[in-house]
Amino acid sequence: MFSFPDVNQVIFLEGHYSIPIVILSLLIACLASFTALSMHERMKSNSFFPRYVWLTLASLCMGFGIWSMHFIGMCAYMLPIKMEYNKLLTMLSVLPAMIASFLAFYTSSLPKQSMKTYSISGIMMGLGISSMHYIGMKAMMMDAEYVYHFGYFILSIFIAITVSFASLYIFGRLHVYMVNFFYKCMAAILMGSAIASMHYTGMHAVKYYIASTVNIDEKHFHQMNMTFFSTVVAAGIIMMLISAIISSIMDRYVDYRLNYFDALTKLPNRRQFEKTLKINSFSKRLAILHLHEMEKWNSMYGYSFGDKVIQYISLLCERLKPIGVELYRIEGNRIVFIGNKESWKELLVELRNISTILSNPIAINEQLVIVKTAIAISEFCEKNNGKTMYDQALAVLSHPSTVYEHTIIAFDPAVHFQSVEYQVLQDIDAAMAENDLYIVYQPKIAVCNEKMVGVEALLRWNHPIYGFLSPGIFIPELEKNGKMMDVTDWVVNEVCKQIIAWKEAGMEMQVSVNIPGPYVTSSRLLSVLKQSIQYYGIKPELLELEMTETSAVSNIEGAIQSVEKFRSCGFSVALDDFGTGVSSLSYLKRLPVTTLKIDKSFVDGVPESQKDSEIMKAIISLGHSLELNIVIEGVESKEQVDFLTSISGCEMIQGYYYAKPMKAEDLEGWVRCKEVEMQNV
Ligand code: C2E
Ligand code: MG
Ligand code: MG
């Protein structure tokens, strides 16, 4: 293989390259690499098809790409002898390229990547390309013999490994940038060059010769047969690559359908609807068809019956909707119509038609049913805001006056604005921005020396229409609608700002912030807290987080983990309203809180009720034995204070007896007065 014959007995043949075919071979290599890398990338992202489908496709593409590059490259080299290929070896030679591509892509797609995995992938890919090449060379059948130059032979393998490693490394490391067409092209060109440079170095390593006694027939160049061959190879490969690209596009399309369309009705779903609503100037009109009591049909006749009802109604809507009106299935039992000004009148007529048709029995599975409906419409909104229009239609549907008897009701501010819940949700963002929402602070006093030891931050809302709103009204509403997290972030920020302001005024104290139940276990909360204290330069000990006992118990494992994290970051954690939930001692033992806040209901009967007094004593001594700080909430009278002083060590009291919650500026005055009072005693 490497030993050169006696130069006196042989004639070495000189061939030459056809440049266009060389370029074609290079193009094929790059195109195959691009497709393979695209599919490899698809495998890493969430796809409708399983990962191994993409891995196999990527390997097929790459394998065929390497293989066809080789044979097209062979065609580019013209020798004055006749050359044919052994069909079996030609076909078998594709296998090492495919297997190596599979292994290389598999390794480079493992979740943990290191220099080692990239090297292994590069070596496998390089060896695959080289073995394909040299098996392909073995498939040649001709009158000439050939021999390899050892140095170039080794160099060709080395090049294949190094450039494969480089392109896989770049592709893996710059994975996030591969969505960028330019970067992906660069990686593909590099990979294509790995294949081509290996091939042409390998070709340089080979020397063809014939015995000096044999006559060379200069007319027998093999390029004519080979042109046909290369055309077939190129066409086949291009077809395969195109189909691979199409399958990738199809996959994206399937993903898109799954994400943005409802499987049952094939209508665009809520996600798509929300996208539409976000369009800046929403100069459209909107109606929601609500199917009432769908649960009834589901529970009476089963879910497939319910599905058929919905399909029937969605088909009816599609059939009757005027041109230009869009339909969305935003919830199981709600279909939205979005129309423009021009189609609106026509749509209203059709909505009436739909209502009338549905007020009569419809036949589903030979069963006659009447599905009650209401259609809420929202025609006008000052700011052309899609979200407001949608909220208006929702306000109609949730209003107590709305009956589900095939009615069509237009949003009327005079009627539907009356819905406090609706208004609360509408106005909360503006309230935060315009300080209608504000914080008051209630002092906590140490029983033993009557000094203020901290404050609790409590929300207040001075609503422009409803006036003062109690947190008991708006907080549950905001919690129900997932808005309380944003509000809590706002509270944390306001409190941090206030802590700094007080610090500058010479008052450093801990502030407790109430955290709504589901937010306690959210990772967002911890990062908001960390960011806020970092931004304002506050010590974490100055913030205490209050979580209610009920919310802790509802997800005890999550709560324990979160409290541990808060504590490890230096924040204090209090268990609020203690005694109103399950008050389980086993939970209390596992929850690493710093403080127990005993609920007001236990103080109310103290000291008159002996039972309440005993319970209070028991809770306080329980807190002591667990080495927890204790805050007693809702203390209103001197008798209560006297009783607590008599039984306790140095607990804290928070109650109207000492101070009601007050605005920050009032608190400063209150603290100064208290100081003067203390000095005079
Ligand atoms: P909480 O956290 O247990 O707050 C203590 C409540 O008891 C406050 O009511 C406070 O004004 C009231 N209180 C304190 N001392 C006395 C007293 O001597 N007598 C009486 N009758 N009441 C007293 P508020 O401000 O109405 O807050 C009620 C609840 O609303 C709070 O209970 C808390 O669960 C929630 N809340 C208030 N602000 C926030 C907040 O910023 N975020 C969250 N998530 N919840 C908050
Ligand atoms: Mg509280
Ligand atoms: Mg409380």
Side-chain angles (χ1 to χ4, degrees), residues 39 90 126 241 253 276 289 302 327 335 341-342 359 369 424 426 451 460 488 517 553 570 650 669 672:
M39 283 195 252
T90 304
L241 297 183
Y253 176 71
T276 312
L289 167 67
L327 287 185
I335 293 175
K341 226 165 140 191
E342 295 73 43
S359 63
V369 291
V424 159
Q426 281 290 295
K451 278 194 173 159
R460 295 290 178 265
T488 306
V553 172
C650 202
R672 307 275 176 238

Side-chain angles (χ1 to χ4, degrees), residues 519-560:
Y519 202 24
V520 171
T521 47
S522 148
S523 57
R524 172 173 140 185
L525 174 63
L526 191 63
S527 67
V528 166
L529 288 166
K530 280 187 191 163
Q531 273 169 21
S532 305
I533 58 164
Q534 203 179 355
Y535 181 76
Y536 289 101
I538 291 171
K539 289 186 273 179
E541 308 88 83
L542 291 181
L543 271 187
E544 182 174 61
L545 312 171
E546 289 193 7
M547 57 195 278
T548 61
E549 191 189 8
T550 334
S551 69
V553 172
S554 69
N555 173 8
I556 186 70
E557 297 306 328
I560 291 170

Side-chain angles (χ1 to χ4, degrees), residues 439-440 442 456-460 470-472 475 479 484 487-488 491 513-517 546 548 576-577 597 599-600 633-636 654-657 659 661:
I439 297 173
V440 289
Q442 187 177 29
E456 177 176 6
L458 295 157
L459 267 175
R460 295 290 178 265
S470 146
I475 290 181
E479 279 186 349
M484 207 41 211
V487 175
T488 306
V491 171
V513 174
N514 290 286
I515 308 294
E546 289 193 7
T548 61
D576 203 358
D577 301 346
K597 292 192 78 172
D599 191 67
K600 179 176 183 304
E633 287 188 292
V635 177
E636 292 181 343
Q654 181 183 341
Y656 291 176
Y657 176 75

Side-chain angles (χ1 to χ4, degrees), residues 118-363:
Y118 286 118
S119 309
I120 295 174
S121 315
I123 292 172
M124 281 190 292
M125 185 64 104
L127 289 180
I129 297 173
S130 313
S131 1
M132 187 277 118
H133 176 86
Y134 289 107
I135 296 175
M137 294 296 282
K138 232 10 218 153
M140 288 187 300
M141 296 190 306
M142 56 190 168
D143 298 334
E145 301 289 323
Y146 60 88
V147 64
Y148 289 107
H149 181 285
F150 184 70
Y152 283 120
F153 177 83
I154 296 296
L155 180 66
S156 67
I157 298 174
F158 178 74
I159 289 178
I161 291 176
T162 332
V163 191
S164 299
F165 163 79
S167 50
L168 285 171
Y169 182 80
I170 290 174
F171 186 77
R173 277 291 148 107
L174 300 181
H175 179 245
V176 278
Y177 298 108
M178 286 303 149
V179 278
N180 181 314
F181 183 72
F182 175 75
Y183 286 117
K184 203 152 68 180
C185 282
M186 295 317 285
I189 289 174
L190 202 62
M191 181 71 93
S193 319
I195 305 165
S197 51
M198 184 276 136
H199 174 84
Y200 289 107
T201 316
M203 290 298 283
H204 195 67
V206 66
K207 292 282 170 245
Y208 299 91
Y209 62 88
I210 49 170
S212 48
T213 49
V214 179
N215 276 341
I216 307 168
D217 184 354
E218 296 285 342
K219 286 174 208 140
H220 272 103
F221 275 90
H222 67 282
Q223 76 268 33
M224 290 314 290
N225 304 344
M226 289 301 125
T227 310
F228 171 72
F229 181 56
S230 60
T231 314
V232 173
V233 172
I237 293 305
I238 288 171
M239 285 284 289
M240 195 200 70
L241 297 183
I242 288 174
S243 61
I245 291 170
I246 289 174
S247 71
S248 149
I249 293 169
M250 293 233 324
D251 192 31
R252 274 165 214 257
Y253 176 71
V254 170
D255 271 2
Y256 169 73
R257 291 289 308 189
L258 285 181
N259 282 326
Y260 291 103
F261 286 81
D262 170 51
L264 181 67
T265 58
K266 311 279 182 289
L267 292 178
N269 62 13
R270 189 182 185 93
R271 260 193 205 175
Q272 183 74 43
F273 172 67
E274 282 174 2
K275 264 177 121 183
T276 312
L277 278 194
K278 277 189 192 142
I279 295 169
N280 277 349
S281 177
F282 187 87
S283 57
K284 308 225 169 153
R285 314 282 189 268
L286 182 149
I288 305 178
L289 167 67
H290 175 98
L291 312 177
H292 202 50
E293 294 175 337
M294 274 309 296
E295 323 77 68
K296 186 174 90 183
W297 304 117
N298 284 335
S299 57
M300 272 170 78
Y301 301 114
Y303 278 90
S304 62
F305 184 88
D307 285 352
K308 284 194 177 141
V309 172
I310 291 163
Q311 273 172 327
Y312 176 92
I313 293 173
S314 83
L315 281 176
L316 180 72
C317 296
E318 273 196 280
R319 191 158 51 84
L320 295 183
K321 83 172 173 66
I323 296 167
V325 170
E326 295 158 16
L327 287 185
Y328 299 83
R329 184 180 179 207
I330 55 161
E331 272 168 53
N333 59 347
R334 283 181 180 175
I335 293 175
V336 167
F337 297 74
I338 294 185
N340 49 26
K341 226 165 140 191
E342 295 73 43
S343 57
W344 189 244
K345 262 196 182 157
E346 217 185 314
L347 176 62
L348 288 183
V349 174
E350 294 305 346
L351 288 178
R352 255 170 243 126
N353 265 341
I354 292 171
S355 259
T356 316
I357 293 173
L358 293 179
S359 63
N360 293 306
I362 55 172

